[in-house]
Amino acid sequence: MKSSKTLLWFGKAALAGGVSIVLLSMMTIIYNFTGVHIENPTRATDYMWEPKQLKTTMVEGFSWFKMDKNGYNNVFLQDNDIDILLMGSSHMEAVQVSKYENTGYLLNNYLKEQQVYNIGISGHAIYNCVDNLENAVNTYKPKRYVIIETSTVELEIDSMEMVLNGTYPHIVSYDDGLIYTIQKNIPAIKALYKQVEEWKTSQAKVTDFPKERIQDYTEHSYTDILKDFLSKAADSVKNKGVKLIIFYHPDTMIDEAGNMINTTDSTALEAFQTTCDMNGIMFIDMTETFQRLYAKEHILAHGFSNTAIGEGHLNAAGHKAVSKKIASAIQNDCAAQEENKDVFK
């Protein structure tokens, strides 16, 4: 009798748990569904999302859409006729805004005669992008430019060295097996796992003592490795007749008085700018543009109505400001190239 009651209790608990997981999964699909990423055989990026992958969020911004057939965020798909390849992190993946408000889409609108394809994807910092750059160019064969997004110019020596010696860690994906099946069919499990990981990370930040910045961005140990790192990036595209553009978008934070704070280390920015110039890389700094946006329109380039002020990913205004600035720089560069052609005729 006692064993039958125990079995009944376990049966009820299993049923309740199963129903809860189903309901949570349904809510996850509506509220914050990231989907499943798979290994990228071309290594243009460490991974890609499944073709036509649904992406939804109400956690940071509001959006519901599907990725393209290659697993990237594009409305325009020109596999064989790409002029400009856009690479970057989750800022360029841009699942926080509409498909019609991200940098890739807007660049296609501003640069009518040039096709832009966006392979920006979460977790791909500038180190991942440079590590994958040659593969990306060989895969998508852009004719004119490659654009790389970065949210920092204060680079890490260890990470740059790993890219240079081919040991930079690859983001792991699961294309099959139990983990893949769970992620694909039970969205709530992945959401719960991510929440636990974020909680653990936040706890670690609370208990860790703050570390003082000790890096001197003028030292040869830094500037030499930065030169090699950006030289590798430039060389990856030069032999394809393509020009490299790197754009930097700093954090947009305000103080208690409502004044915008410049969080960029000026020596790191100068070192990065100088090294880009030495390697023929077009460098675009969004600092002043973001400051003007806030001063004139009281709009921050990062942050959403459902997040902390100015924190997180680029918002629609940020994407618009970035795409306008890049489009203007490309138009000016194209005009200068045409002028030089006329001179040497």
Side-chain angles (χ1 to χ4, degrees):
M1 188 71 176
K2 192 172 182 180
S3 61
S4 63
K5 284 185 177 180
T6 303
L7 286 172
L8 181 62
W9 184 88
F10 275 112
K12 287 180 178 179
L15 179 61
V19 171
S20 298
I21 289 294
V22 169
L23 292 174
L24 280 171
S25 292
M26 291 171 65
M27 285 300 299
T28 298
I29 290 172
I30 297 168
Y31 185 68
N32 185 31
F33 183 60
T34 57
V36 181
H37 62 71
I38 57 178
E39 195 75 20
N40 188 343
T42 70
R43 281 299 305 272
T45 52
D46 284 8
Y47 68 85
M48 55 192 182
W49 297 103
E50 286 198 319
K52 303 293 182 181
Q53 174 69 68
L54 174 67
K55 304 285 281 187
T56 68
T57 186
M58 295 174 68
V59 174
E60 186 181 7
F62 301 90
S63 69
W64 300 266
F65 60 81
K66 289 184 178 182
M67 294 299 198
D68 68 19
K69 69 178 185 180
N70 295 326
Y72 301 114
N73 187 3
N74 292 279
V75 173
F76 305 106
L77 184 58
Q78 300 288 335
D79 281 343
N80 300 315
D81 191 26
I82 297 170
D83 296 293
I84 302 170
L85 185 65
L86 175 60
M87 303 178 69
S89 66
S90 51
H91 290 282
M92 293 300 95
E93 185 180 75
V95 298
Q96 301 79 22
V97 298
S98 160
K99 284 181 74 73
Y100 307 100
E101 293 177 322
N102 67 62
T103 298
Y105 178 85
L106 294 172
L107 281 174
N108 269 298
N109 274 354
Y110 295 139
L111 301 169
K112 299 289 187 184
E113 296 179 359
Q114 300 189 55
Q115 294 293 332
V116 181
Y117 190 67
N118 175 24
I119 61 170
I121 202 155
S122 297
H124 284 58
I126 189 170
Y127 314 109
N128 305 79
C129 293
V130 172
D131 195 33
N132 296 327
L133 184 52
E134 190 170 353
N135 292 325
V137 173
N138 289 335
T139 301
Y140 292 101
K141 299 177 173 57
K143 298 173 185 174
R144 306 201 72 169
Y145 299 94
V146 174
I147 304 169
I148 294 179
E149 166 263 335
T150 183
S151 58
T152 183
V153 289
E154 299 164 31
L155 303 192
E156 300 166 0
I157 289 178
D158 290 346
S159 295
M160 288 190 287
E161 285 179 334
M162 283 191 285
V163 172
L164 289 169
N165 62 32
T167 61
Y168 192 76
H170 180 74
I171 299 172
V172 178
S173 295
Y174 300 96
D175 294 5
D176 51 30
L178 181 61
I179 294 177
Y180 170 82
T181 303
I182 290 173
Q183 287 187 90
K184 188 171 179 65
N185 298 300
I186 316 176
I189 298 296
K190 182 178 179 181
L192 289 169
Y193 174 79
K194 287 182 69 177
Q195 288 298 314
V196 170
E197 287 299 303
E198 287 175 10
W199 174 77
K200 286 164 64 178
T201 302
S202 65
Q203 287 296 104
K205 286 180 180 177
V206 170
T207 55
D208 284 349
F209 291 105
K211 296 178 181 178
E212 293 183 9
R213 179 183 291 167
I214 56 173
Q215 178 63 59
D216 182 352
Y217 297 106
T218 63
E219 285 182 348
H220 287 300
S221 59
Y222 179 81
T223 56
D224 287 349
I225 197 71
L226 178 65
K227 181 180 177 182
D228 291 341
F229 177 74
L230 291 179
S231 178
K232 174 181 171 62
D235 290 344
S236 296
V237 302
K238 274 179 186 174
N239 58 358
K240 303 292 183 182
V242 177
K243 185 174 284 191
L244 180 60
I245 300 171
I246 298 178
F247 81 89
Y248 165 59
H249 60 102
D251 293 336
T252 48
M253 299 172 63
I254 54 175
D255 61 21
E256 293 179 355
N259 300 309
M260 194 166 177
I261 306 168
N262 188 347
T263 59
T264 305
D265 185 294
S266 59
T267 56
L269 179 61
E270 184 180 354
F272 197 95
Q273 168 81 72
T274 301
T275 311
C276 281
D277 292 341
M278 288 169 56
N279 285 282
I281 299 170
M282 288 176 60
F283 177 66
I284 298 173
D285 178 11
M286 293 301 303
T287 302
E288 289 185 9
T289 302
F290 286 173
Q291 288 172 342
R292 284 197 301 270
L293 179 66
Y294 182 66
K296 292 182 178 180
E297 302 181 42
H298 309 294
I299 295 173
L300 293 169
H302 299 86
F304 301 84
S305 60
N306 52 353
T307 65
I309 295 173
E311 290 189 10
H313 290 87
L314 287 167
N315 55 34
H319 281 282
K320 187 175 182 180
V322 166
S323 55
K324 278 188 171 182
K325 180 102 177 208
I326 294 174
S328 177
I330 287 175
Q331 288 165 344
N332 291 337
D333 187 61
C334 289
Q337 289 180 42
E338 289 299 318
E339 219 173 87
N340 288 336
K341 283 182 186 177
D342 293 337
V343 169
F344 290 106
K345 274 185 179 177

